[in-house]
Amino acid sequence: MHTQTHQARTKTYHHGDLHNSLILKGLEMLNDRGLSAISLREIARNIGVGHNAPYRHFKNKQQLLEAIASMGFRRLKAYNLRLELEYANDPETQLFESAMHLINMANDEPNLFNLMFGGNVSLFDCGDELKKESQASMQSFIKILSQGQKQDVFNQDNLICQTLATMSLIYGFAMMTSSGMLQEIPKTPDQMRGFTLQVFDILLTGLKKT
Amino acid sequence: MHTQTHQARTKTYHHGDLHNSLILKGLEMLNDRGLSAISLREIARNIGVGHNAPYRHFKNKQQLLEAIASMGFRRLKAYNLRLELEYANDPETQLFESAMHLINMANDEPNLFNLMFGGNVSLFDCGDELKKESQASMQSFIKILSQGQKQDVFNQDNLICQTLATMSLIYGFAMMTSSGMLQEIPKTPDQMRGFTLQVFDILLTGLKKT
DNA sequence: TGTATATGTGGACGCTGTCCACATGACTCA
DNA sequence: TGAGTCATGTGGACAGCGTCCACATATACA
């Protein structure tokens, strides 16, 4: 069901692609039931494999969660890469669409978003894979803002500070709209987009005026 | 140890202030070991009470976590109230010091911060107490910004959008500095303050220029 | 072809959250 | 003061969990 390679195989003693199946089924169950409701054993059960099989692919439960989070970061990176090509000379649009995508993700897959950014996997004490992927996020923002500075779309203030302000606002806004901290936020995608645009405008003013 | 009332009591069958002791010991252990490492039973054990006693005060583990988060929000509110008095006619300073306080909290007590904002307690599906406290946060920002508009310190744009932009930036920055997503961030309080000031300036520009 | 290695299995252990029946002590009111 | 009620404590039980171990099976490579 999850991957073609898996489905194509006949039922054998060996699963064939358990590593990826665990990540995908884990993500599916994470989105459905939330972090506190999923267990390694149930994921294994849902895949149809013994409760110890996952330990051949992940040292422990935490490492599977890290792998799921890594996949989330990789998805973000892939989307940002598309934006980079689609709006090659328009850093402002790149920034906004990237923000919009993160906000949509926070609202469509809040449990994945919280896993990635809510401290449930430590970005300090985690495997190299997740470390690399999470820090690549920042690089992509630096890249966009740097391009914006070169094109004089943004002012020439400290690049790192601009990056931090931008990411902070985007991640914070995503968190707030998905966390339930706000009562009055409109819920249709169009309204959300309009709202985000207004909030984003305040940041842009700060990035532009010198 | 936790409260005077508790310490003053002689050892009896009844504890005397178990409700508050659970919250305080729970917070202490949360800060020490992290969310995933604490259990109701161990908290009870540390207090010196049977493993079922907590159920007389909280319906389940989740409700104790909610109570701990509520206390976190109440602390923020108390601090903001002090700022409101100390800098009565200076909304800009109120805003910055409030931000600085949240950032310090995110770095000093990251596990509490993550409990409050990381989706580990749902702000949708939680008790009235936590709902009230979490939404009061937003009210205090609205208040500051509204005052700023009246005093012409900030421009007259949509108040809610200004509030959202402000809170998003602050919460997002707090999250980023405490999560390990950043590698290069200076760690001493002074450096952190200087850094925050620069990032904050970008927001302020957006709030001021019309 | 035979054997090392990767990947699967089931059993065991201690811990957990939660339910239950029961014990104890504090408070109320005759 | 004394009886009874209610809030608050106790220990036992249970299923589910993460993880460790020894063992089984399939694959890859000599």
Side-chain angles (χ1 to χ4, degrees):
Chain A
M1 190 63 73
H2 314 116
T3 67
Q4 297 84 337
T5 58
H6 174 199
Q7 192 163 30
R9 288 182 176 271
T10 59
K11 203 175 200 172
T12 58
Y13 185 87
H14 280 53
H15 176 280
D17 194 20
L18 187 51
H19 185 91
N20 285 319
S21 290
L22 284 165
I23 296 175
L24 291 170
K25 181 59 88 176
L27 174 58
E28 180 191 326
M29 293 176 60
L30 173 69
N31 278 331
D32 283 355
R33 308 170 203 221
L35 180 60
S36 64
I38 66 175
S39 71
L40 265 190
R41 290 173 99 112
E42 193 182 1
I43 295 171
R45 229 178 287 131
N46 268 284
I47 292 179
V49 89
H51 68 270
N52 262 318
Y55 285 87
R56 300 296 160 185
H57 301 273
F58 299 97
K59 206 182 105 237
N60 51 34
K61 183 182 183 181
Q62 197 58 26
Q63 282 210 352
L64 173 56
L65 294 179
E66 285 185 17
I68 294 173
S70 281
M71 196 179 67
F73 282 109
R74 239 174 294 122
R75 276 206 214 151
L76 289 183
K77 190 168 66 180
Y79 190 88
N80 287 339
L81 205 66
R82 277 181 42 197
L83 291 178
E84 196 181 326
L85 301 177
E86 191 167 351
Y87 304 102
N89 285 312
D90 185 354
E92 202 173 317
T93 303
Q94 277 184 52
L95 220 48
F96 178 71
E97 293 301 334
S98 179
M100 212 53 232
H101 182 248
L102 191 82
I103 290 159
N104 287 334
M105 175 185 161
N107 284 273
D108 295 339
E109 298 182 279
N111 291 322
L112 174 58
F113 180 82
N114 286 328
L115 178 69
M116 293 165 67
F117 301 107
N120 292 304
V121 298
S122 161
L123 264 25
F124 289 113
D125 182 26
C126 66
D128 293 342
E129 164 77 6
L130 177 56
K131 233 171 222 165
K132 196 192 71 183
E133 294 297 343
S134 67
Q135 284 166 357
S137 303
M138 186 158 180
Q139 294 306 316
S140 74
F141 280 105
I142 292 180
K143 196 169 173 185
I144 297 174
L145 284 158
S146 160
Q147 191 194 351
Q149 286 196 356
K150 282 195 198 100
Q151 296 183 7
D152 257 329
V153 177
F154 305 133
N155 68 42
Q156 305 298 316
D157 285 354
N158 184 302
L159 181 63
I160 297 298
C161 289
Q162 286 190 343
T163 306
L164 280 177
T166 303
M167 294 179 73
S168 297
L169 185 123
I170 294 174
Y171 289 138
F173 190 68
M175 183 195 75
M176 289 184 64
T177 56
S178 80
S179 72
M181 205 179 317
L182 279 34
Q183 309 148 281
E184 314 275 357
I185 293 299
K187 284 291 172 193
T188 82
D190 278 355
Q191 286 174 316
M192 180 68 90
R193 193 177 174 90
F195 217 84
T196 307
L197 208 52
Q198 288 185 67
V199 170
F200 207 72
D201 222 48
I202 296 176
L203 172 73
L204 281 182
T205 304
L207 293 178
K208 286 175 174 174
K209 179 184 160 61
T210 168
Chain B
M1 190 63 73
H2 314 116
T3 67
Q4 297 85 335
T5 58
H6 174 199
Q7 192 165 30
R9 286 182 179 271
T10 58
K11 203 176 201 172
T12 58
Y13 186 85
H14 280 53
H15 176 281
D17 194 19
L18 187 50
H19 185 92
N20 285 318
S21 291
L22 284 165
I23 295 175
L24 290 170
K25 181 60 87 176
L27 174 59
E28 179 191 326
M29 294 176 60
L30 172 70
N31 279 331
D32 284 354
R33 309 170 203 222
L35 180 60
S36 65
I38 66 175
S39 70
L40 264 189
R41 289 173 100 113
E42 194 181 0
I43 295 171
R45 230 178 286 130
N46 268 283
I47 292 180
V49 89
H51 68 268
N52 262 317
Y55 285 87
R56 300 296 159 186
H57 301 273
F58 300 97
K59 206 182 104 237
N60 51 33
K61 184 183 184 182
Q62 196 58 26
Q63 282 209 350
L64 173 57
L65 294 179
E66 285 185 17
I68 294 173
S70 281
M71 195 179 67
F73 281 109
R74 238 174 295 124
R75 275 206 215 150
L76 289 183
K77 190 167 67 177
Y79 190 88
N80 286 340
L81 205 67
R82 277 181 42 198
L83 291 178
E84 195 180 325
L85 300 176
E86 191 167 352
Y87 303 103
N89 285 312
D90 186 354
E92 201 173 318
T93 302
Q94 278 183 51
L95 220 48
F96 178 73
E97 292 302 331
S98 179
M100 212 51 232
H101 181 247
L102 191 82
I103 290 158
N104 287 334
M105 175 185 161
N107 284 275
D108 296 340
E109 299 181 278
N111 291 321
L112 174 58
F113 180 82
N114 285 328
L115 178 67
M116 293 166 66
F117 301 107
N120 293 303
V121 298
S122 162
L123 265 24
F124 290 113
D125 184 26
C126 67
D128 293 342
E129 165 76 6
L130 177 56
K131 232 170 223 166
K132 196 191 72 183
E133 293 297 343
S134 68
Q135 285 166 356
S137 304
M138 185 157 179
Q139 294 307 315
S140 74
F141 280 104
I142 292 180
K143 196 169 171 184
I144 297 175
L145 285 158
S146 160
Q147 190 194 354
Q149 286 196 356
K150 281 196 199 99
Q151 298 183 6
D152 257 330
V153 176
F154 304 133
N155 69 40
Q156 305 298 316
D157 285 353
N158 184 303
L159 181 63
I160 297 299
C161 288
Q162 286 190 344
T163 306
L164 280 177
T166 302
M167 292 178 72
S168 296
L169 186 124
I170 294 174
Y171 288 138
F173 190 68
M175 184 195 75
M176 290 185 64
T177 56
S178 80
S179 73
M181 205 178 319
L182 280 32
Q183 308 148 284
E184 314 275 357
I185 292 299
K187 283 292 173 193
T188 80
D190 279 354
Q191 286 173 313
M192 180 67 90
R193 193 179 174 88
F195 218 84
T196 307
L197 209 51
Q198 289 185 66
V199 170
F200 207 72
D201 224 47
I202 295 176
L203 172 72
L204 282 182
T205 304
L207 292 178
K208 286 175 175 173
K209 178 182 161 61
T210 169

